[in-house]
Each structure stands twice: as structure tokens, then as C-alpha cells.
């Protein structure tokens, strides 16, 4: 089969894989962005036990490879409790991967949030306090937007890393774009021994990250009307 | 009756005693300047009165209402005390304007949040918000910034920012306004405009407590001066009495300003 004949087949297959990649990316963000905020509050808690538990969790999650975490989350319930909660299908693999990614990224995000919150000068909270605002009013009306502005650069970094990290889900055979590209090495739909589809997946990542970079740039510009 | 009464305030951070028993009172419409060298406890005293720090012992009343009493530990009573704090305002050395809000929004924010807690807020929303805007504009006009309503803090000079923060504090109509070294972050030229604003407030009989290093200004604007040293009040009186004091420590302090 010539390259011209191969291309539409590969293209369609990669698109399906890419959809799964994007889905994992979006679900991870939707879970990890709020969870990270909760974890960051925990890590700043004045209640020592909570603070310690969170510190240990963040240490474990940041201190071990995401790939290992995913393998444990996917296989552990079945191997140890003989209760494969995820099931064997693509859906099960997706949710096992999503849960692993959410926990992992929430821990990284939590540290970025913490830096952002602690970076807002204490005088801002004090001003809110002497003006009679409540703690939650001070957080939502004063601190939050200043924190968001501060964390855009490190967040965009982390989120762009997430795009490429989704390929790690290949390890539990999630049918994301790398998996789809690799299939043409072993043989699929009459195409075998071809490595170019795997290389070609890089273009998808490049375009995806390019779009994100532009979006983050726009957000940064939108918040450039004030200085922190 | 005195509008502000501070009784036996002490404050320790760990083993360090910053305030060692401060008592004074202030009459309505009077201006009190607190002066003294750095580290004498002036700012800590102001922070304790405003609730930013909690004094170790003592009692503070504003307008007859208790705002702090170290004997009170009951949560509900503490909440009650917190409410009484609405009678006092504070202007910071570093202005602490909210950078993401315009001049006008900086002044209206706290008022709008307070209005939301009113029972009739939903019914009279528009009237209430109009009223708040009017109040904010009135006070911004008073400090000479009615042409800067839509600018953000980063577009204002230091002096203008401090004037916004004064308007922001005034708009909540405090009975007493406290200033924590309001000109220390400003160059001499900008200092003048802040002092002018405070002087105007004094003419309007605003009750004020000012921590300052501007001796001539303190002499000029105050009804009463308190000199603090090492956590205690070591001299007090009218400006005349103070600047002609024969207290050794005060003379030494004043001489350092003449150099």
C-alpha cells in the first residue's frame, strides 16, 4: 500500500485515538483543578493532622512516577482484593487512568495554588478585614483573582505537560493516540511495519499545545490591566 | 465621654514584650498623634486596636462599645465585639488598595458586600447601589480624585493611591480613623498632599489617631501627642507641652529630628 493510500486509514485511526487523548485531558483538568484547590487549603490548614496527611500525600504522589501510580490504581483492586473495580473494557481503563491523572495533577496544582495564595501580600487580607469583610469575601473578592494572575505562567506550564503526559495511559492499554499510532507497527487494517504513524502523532501534540499556548497568552493579556 | 478608651493593653510575641501596659483616652473630634522611634510599639498598638493583632491583656472601647476585652473568650460575645469594630477605620502605610479594582470599585467594594447582607437588598437593589456609588464619589471628591474614578491603582501615583485608601476608609463612616505611618512610603512631595488631606479631615472634626514620623505635621494638626518608647507611653500632652518637654528621652528623640 502506498503512503497516499495509507494516509486516510491512519488519519482516521489517529483521530479516534486523539479524541480519547483530549477526553482524558479534559476530564483530568475538570477533576484536578478544583481538587488541587482543596488540597492546597489542606496543606495550609492550621489543623496539624490534616496538614501532615496532605504533606505525605503530596510527597508520595510527586515522588513516584505517574506510570507506576496508574498501574497500581488499575491493577491493585483486582490483584489484591480480587475485585477488579474498573472492569476490563476501554471505559474501565479510561476511568482508572483519569483517576490516576486527577490525583497526580491535583497534587502538583495544589502546590502552585499554595504559592499563588501565599504570594498575595498579607496587607490585602488585612485591608479586607479592617473594611469589615468576612474571610470568604476576602478570598473570593480580593485574593482569588490576584492568585489566578500569579499562577497563570506555572499553570500553563503544568497543563501543557499534561497534554503530553496523557500518553502514559498507553501503559494500561488505553486507546489514546500513541496506542493508535503504534498499532500500525504491529499491523492493523492492512498496514503493518509502519513507524511513520507513530511519528506523525507528534503533530497532533504540537497543534494541541500550540492552541493552549495561544489561549493562555490571551488569558494573561486579559488580566494585564492590573499589577500584583 | 471619651470616644476611645484604651486600658492596660499589653502584647507579647513569644517572650518579647512589645507593649507593656498602654492606657489612654481620646475625646470626639480630637486628633492624637503617636510618635516614637521604630520598634517602640506604635504600629503594634494600632494593630491591636484594629484587631489585626490580638492584645495579650487589656480592654478597648470605642464610642462606649467594647471592641476588645481580654477577659472575654465566649465565641458569641467575641462576634459581638467584632461588629463594634465597624466604628473604626484604618489607613495603612502601604495603602493596600485592591489592584484588580478601579478607584471607584476599591471604595465601593466593602459597602456593596455589606449591603448584600441587608434584608431589603433584593427589593431595593438599584437604589442601594446608587446610594453606595454616590457615597463613594462624595468621599473621592473630598480627597480630590473625582477625575480618577476609573483608573486602576497601578495607574495612580503613591500619593493618589493613599488618598484612595483614605476615601475607602472614610466611606464606611468610621467614628475614629487610624493612620499607620500614612506617608512613610511616599517621597516628600507626595507626603504633602496626604498631610493636606488629613488636615482637612481635622478641620471637619474627624476623630483621628495618627502614627507618624512627621514632627512638624504632628505639632500642627494634633490636639494631643503621645510619645512611646520601648512599649510604654513615656510622655503625653498638647503639642506645646510635648515639644518643650524636659523629659530626657523626649528631648533626645526630638534632637535626632533636628539634625
Amino acid at each position: 500500500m502506498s503512503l497516499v493510500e495509507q494516509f486516510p486509514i491512519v488519519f482516521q485511526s489517529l483521530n479516534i485515538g486523539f479524541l480519547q487523548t483530549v477526553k482524558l485531558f479534559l476530564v483530568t483538568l475538570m477533576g484536578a483543578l478544583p481538587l488541587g484547590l482543596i488540597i492546597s487549603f489542606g496543606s495550609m490548614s492550621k489543623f496539624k493532622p490534616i496538614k501532615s496527611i496532605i504533606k505525605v500525600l503530596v510527597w508520595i504522589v510527586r515522588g513516584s512516577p505517574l506510570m507506576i501510580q496508574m498501574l497500581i490504581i488499575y491493577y491493585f483492586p483486582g490483584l489484591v482484593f480480587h475485585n477488579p473495580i474498573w472492569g476490563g473494557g476501554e471505559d474501565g481503563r479510561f476511568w482508572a487512568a483519569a483517576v490516576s491523572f486527577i490525583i497526580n495533577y491535583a497534587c502538583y496544582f495544589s502546590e502552585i495554588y499554595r504559592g499563588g495564595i501565599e504570594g498575595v501580600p498579607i496587607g490585602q487580607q488585612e485591608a479586607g478585614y479592617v473594611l469589615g469583610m468576612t474571610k470568604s469575601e476576602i478570598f473570593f473578592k480580593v485574593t482569588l483573582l490576584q492568585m489566578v494572575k500569579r499562577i497563570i505562567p506555572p499553570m500553563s506550564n503544568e497543563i501543557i505537560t499534561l497534554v503530553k503526559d496523557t500518553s502514559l495511559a498507553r501503559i494500561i492499554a488505553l486507546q489514546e493516540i500513541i496506542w493508535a499510532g503504534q498499532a500500525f507497527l504491529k499491523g492493523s487494517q492492512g498496514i503493518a511495519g509502519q513507524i511513520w504513524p507513530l511519528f506523525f502523532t507528534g503533530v497532533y501534540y504540537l497543534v494541541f499545545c500550540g492552541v493552549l499556548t495561544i489561549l493562555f497568552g490571551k488569558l494573561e493579556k486579559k488580566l494585564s490591566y492590573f499589577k500584583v | 465621654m471619651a470616644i476611645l478608651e484604651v486600658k492596660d493593653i499589653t502584647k507579647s510575641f513569644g517572650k518579647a514584650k512589645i507593649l507593656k501596659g498602654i492606657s489612654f483616652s481620646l475625646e470626639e473630634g480630637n486628633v492624637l498623634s503617636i510618635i516614637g522611634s521604630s520598634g517602640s510599639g506604635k504600629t503594634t498598638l494600632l494593630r491591636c486596636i484594629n484587631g489585626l493583632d490580638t492584645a495579650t491583656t487589656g480592654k478597648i472601647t470605642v464610642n462606649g462599645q467594647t471592641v476588645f476585652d481580654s477577659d472575654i473568650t465566649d465565641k458569641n460575645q467575641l462576634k459581638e465585639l467584632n461588629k463594634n469594630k465597624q466604628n473604626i477605620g484604618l489607613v495603612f502605610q502601604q495603602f493596600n488598595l485592591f489592584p484588580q479594582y478601579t478607584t471607584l470599585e476599591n471604595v465601593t467594594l466593602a459597602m456593596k458586600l455589606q449591603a448584600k447582607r441587608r434584608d431589603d437588598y433584593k427589593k431595593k437593589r438599584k437604589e442601594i447601589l446608587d446610594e453606595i456609588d454616590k457615597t463613594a464619589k462624595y468621599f473621592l471628591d473630598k480627597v480630590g480624585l473625582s477625575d480618577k474614578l476609573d483608573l486602576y491603582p497601578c495607574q495612580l501615583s503613591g500619593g493618589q493611591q493613599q488618598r484612595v485608601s483614605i476615601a475607602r476608609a472614610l466611606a464606611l463612616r468610621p467614628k475614629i480613623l487610624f493612620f499607620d505611618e500614612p506617608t512613610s512610603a511616599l517621597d516628600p512631595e507626595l507626603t504633602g498632599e496626604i498631610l493636606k488631606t488629613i488636615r482637612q479631615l481635622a478641620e471637619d472634626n474627624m476623630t483621628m489617631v495618627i502614627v507618624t514620623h512627621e514632627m512638624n505635621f504632628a505639632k500642627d494638626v494634633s490636639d494631643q501627642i503621645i510619645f512611646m518608647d520601648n512599649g510604654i507611653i513615656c510622655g503625653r500632652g498638647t503639642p506645646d507641652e510635648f515639644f518643650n518637654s524636659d523629659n530626657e528621652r523626649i528631648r533626645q528623640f526630638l534632637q535626632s529630628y533636628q539634625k
Side-chain angles (χ1 to χ4, degrees):
Chain A
M1 219 188 290
S2 73
L3 200 59
V4 181
E5 284 168 307
Q6 284 173 9
F7 192 80
I9 300 169
V10 170
F11 186 60
Q12 200 192 10
S13 198
L14 291 186
N15 283 348
I16 293 169
F18 186 61
L19 270 182
Q20 194 72 319
T21 295
V22 173
K23 198 171 128 194
L24 180 58
F25 171 81
L26 290 176
V27 169
T28 301
L29 273 192
M30 281 191 294
L33 286 173
L35 183 63
L37 194 59
I38 294 169
I39 294 175
S40 81
F41 285 139
S43 70
M44 291 184 288
S45 168
K46 283 187 187 121
F47 186 58
K48 280 268 162 64
I50 289 190
K51 195 173 170 162
S52 312
I53 291 169
I54 295 292
K55 292 263 171 204
V56 171
L57 173 78
V58 172
W59 168 60
I60 291 173
V61 168
R62 293 200 306 176
S64 62
L66 173 55
M67 191 188 274
I68 302 291
Q69 291 164 19
M70 205 162 19
L71 287 172
I72 290 173
I73 285 176
Y74 185 53
Y75 289 115
F76 196 80
L79 289 177
V80 177
F81 300 117
H82 305 290
N83 180 18
I85 51 170
W86 306 110
E90 175 72 2
D91 262 4
R93 288 192 292 271
F94 176 80
W95 286 108
V99 166
S100 316
F101 271 86
I102 287 172
I103 294 172
N104 185 280
Y105 269 82
C107 286
Y108 281 97
F109 288 166
S110 79
E111 286 296 286
I112 296 178
Y113 286 141
R114 190 169 66 89
I117 293 172
E118 289 179 347
V120 176
I122 187 79
Q124 291 290 306
Q125 288 173 46
E126 292 184 344
Y129 175 80
V130 298
L131 291 169
M133 298 183 198
T134 64
K135 270 193 175 164
S136 74
E137 283 170 352
I138 291 172
F139 178 75
F140 286 108
K141 297 289 178 181
V142 176
T143 314
L144 186 62
L145 193 63
Q146 295 181 44
M147 170 193 115
V148 168
K149 185 180 164 88
R150 277 165 190 275
I151 66 175
I152 289 174
M155 269 305 214
S156 59
N157 225 351
E158 207 59 49
I159 287 170
I160 281 169
T161 303
L162 169 62
V163 172
K164 292 157 293 169
D165 269 3
T166 54
S167 61
L168 289 171
R170 165 77 192 81
I171 199 72
I172 57 170
L174 184 77
Q175 295 169 14
E176 43 71 69
I177 189 166
I178 298 278
W179 183 92
Q182 218 177 6
F184 296 106
L185 255 178
K186 285 182 251 167
S188 168
Q189 300 171 72
I191 303 170
Q194 292 292 333
I195 197 149
W196 74 264
L198 190 54
F199 292 170
F200 189 68
T201 60
V203 176
Y204 284 78
Y205 288 105
L206 271 179
V207 171
F208 195 2
C209 290
V211 170
L212 285 176
T213 306
I214 291 169
L215 285 178
F216 277 116
K218 279 199 169 149
L219 189 58
E220 216 166 310
K221 208 169 171 194
K222 209 172 172 193
L223 291 180
S224 66
Y225 69 90
F226 72 91
K227 287 200 181 81
V228 289
Chain B
M1 196 189 63
I3 193 162
L4 171 67
E5 248 173 299
V6 175
K7 269 190 200 143
D8 298 323
I9 290 294
T10 66
K11 172 69 182 173
S12 307
F13 290 101
K15 277 188 181 158
K17 276 194 162 181
I18 307 298
L19 299 176
K20 302 169 183 167
I22 302 284
S23 300
F24 66 89
S25 63
L26 182 65
E27 298 297 320
E28 184 156 14
N30 278 10
V31 177
L32 166 71
S33 291
I34 302 178
I35 56 187
S37 47
S38 299
S40 60
K42 308 177 302 282
T43 293
T44 306
L45 175 63
L46 226 56
R47 290 176 61 88
C48 285
I49 297 173
N50 283 277
L52 291 173
D53 281 331
T54 309
T56 312
T57 60
K59 191 178 171 187
I60 299 163
T61 52
V62 173
N63 205 24
Q65 294 171 312
T66 307
V67 296
F68 175 76
D69 188 339
S70 55
D71 292 334
I72 294 178
T73 47
D74 180 65
K75 269 198 176 165
N76 288 326
Q77 277 180 293
L78 283 176
K79 260 189 191 163
E80 205 56 39
L81 298 193
N82 242 331
K83 266 189 204 155
N84 297 338
K85 286 212 185 87
Q86 284 177 3
N87 284 325
I88 52 187
L90 173 64
V91 172
F92 296 87
Q93 181 178 351
Q94 299 294 343
F95 333 136
N96 294 344
L97 290 181
F98 306 130
Q100 71 267 45
Y101 294 117
T102 63
T103 297
L104 183 62
E105 288 165 344
N106 259 283
V107 181
T108 57
L109 180 66
M111 287 191 281
K112 282 183 178 166
L113 292 170
Q114 271 173 20
K116 272 189 190 162
R117 288 179 225 139
R118 282 168 56 167
D119 296 329
D120 58 353
Y121 180 70
K122 272 188 186 154
K123 258 193 234 160
K124 296 191 193 165
R125 194 168 171 274
K126 202 173 170 325
E127 284 167 59
I128 292 173
L129 292 182
D130 281 352
E131 190 58 37
I132 289 173
D133 263 14
K134 236 174 87 184
T135 308
K137 282 176 186 163
Y138 169 78
F139 284 105
L140 282 165
D141 185 48
K142 222 173 157 62
V143 297
L145 290 174
S146 29
D147 56 336
K148 311 276 185 213
L149 298 182
D150 297 322
L151 296 186
Y152 289 92
C154 62
Q155 297 168 298
L156 300 174
S157 73
Q160 289 167 339
Q161 288 187 47
Q162 188 61 300
R163 282 188 281 152
V164 175
S165 93
I166 292 172
R168 182 173 72 171
L170 285 174
L172 294 172
R173 305 195 188 257
K175 291 266 192 298
I176 311 172
L177 189 52
F178 292 81
F179 292 84
D180 183 12
E181 303 190 23
T183 60
S184 295
L186 302 171
D187 64 43
E189 208 173 339
L190 297 176
T191 296
E193 53 182 86
I194 298 303
L195 299 185
K196 200 176 116 201
T197 303
I198 298 175
R199 205 167 272 140
Q200 274 169 4
L201 292 174
E203 278 162 20
D204 293 349
N205 281 325
M206 182 78 205
T207 313
M208 291 182 284
V209 176
I210 308 165
V211 168
T212 183
H213 290 293
E214 299 286 332
M215 290 307 133
N216 288 329
F217 172 70
K219 194 182 207 168
D220 201 49
V221 80
S222 319
D223 298 294
Q224 216 191 120
I225 288 179
I226 281 179
F227 178 74
M228 279 181 72
D229 188 40
N230 210 5
I232 56 167
I233 293 178
C234 86
R236 73 180 88 196
T238 62
D240 263 355
E241 288 165 349
F242 177 75
F243 285 95
N244 299 311
S245 170
D246 45 17
N247 179 310
E248 188 59 30
R249 180 70 188 92
I250 295 177
R251 294 184 76 90
Q252 199 188 351
F253 177 79
L254 289 175
Q255 264 168 18
S256 70
Y257 272 87
Q258 279 156 9
K259 276 173 198 163

